[in-house]
Amino acid sequence: MDEIRRVAVECIGRAVMFGSLAIGCVMIGFSFNPVSAFRSGAFLTLAMALALMWKAMTAGIKNPKHTEVWLYLDEKSRPADGSARRVFGTVLSDVYKLYARIALGVAVGFFLVSLVLMLFGMEGYVPPSDRRLLVP
């Protein structure tokens, strides 16, 4: 079971890392407005947390042979009977829930940063070099 958990943490963690990379790219795209950058990061991270929660809920009914974790396990670590398949689903569900909790915490952090920046007047920020273009 420890081998299944180790491989699941690696596989799911890699998928979450690629999702986080995409979210970071979107946030950099909104870097002209920090409030929008953190708000978009918060919404996208929240969407990732919801996807991870969905995967956690459906991990128990999925055939282990159709998962990436199954491919990385050696023959002796793969579950063979019905009870071992339930253990496999439970381990996958636990790992998905772990990453969903982390993503939810990051999303809340992004929302808080966007709120603080908005309270300090960063909403609608225009760089000083562009302010002369706004005044007739």
Side-chain angles (χ1 to χ4, degrees):
M1 187 161 103
D2 291 334
E3 181 68 14
I4 296 172
R5 183 174 303 280
R6 184 190 64 77
V7 172
V9 166
E10 289 176 8
C11 291
I12 296 168
R14 183 175 47 241
V16 170
M17 179 199 60
F18 282 123
S20 300
L21 180 65
I23 292 168
C25 289
V26 169
M27 290 177 69
I28 288 172
F30 281 111
S31 63
F32 63 90
N33 187 342
V35 175
S36 295
F38 282 102
R39 195 175 295 155
S40 65
F43 280 116
L44 291 172
T45 307
L46 185 61
M48 183 169 64
L50 289 173
L52 287 167
M53 288 169 49
W54 174 259
K55 294 289 280 184
M57 289 178 6
T58 60
I61 60 173
K62 190 165 185 157
N63 186 352
K65 294 180 182 179
H66 297 160
T67 64
E68 183 182 7
V69 176
W70 181 271
L71 296 174
Y72 285 102
L73 287 173
D74 55 354
E75 290 294 326
K76 65 180 181 199
S77 299
R78 291 179 177 171
D81 57 351
S83 64
R85 288 181 63 167
R86 282 193 297 277
V87 168
F88 190 84
T90 303
V91 169
L92 279 182
S93 179
D94 290 344
V95 174
Y96 278 123
K97 288 175 187 175
L98 169 70
Y99 282 110
R101 282 193 303 267
I102 292 170
L104 188 59
V106 170
V108 167
F110 283 162
F111 272 125
L112 290 176
V113 170
S114 72
L115 180 66
V116 167
L117 290 175
M118 191 172 61
L119 291 175
F120 283 117
M122 295 292 285
E123 185 74 36
Y125 174 73
V126 178
S129 62
D130 292 341
R131 287 187 185 153
R132 60 183 164 80
L133 299 175
L134 297 177
V135 179

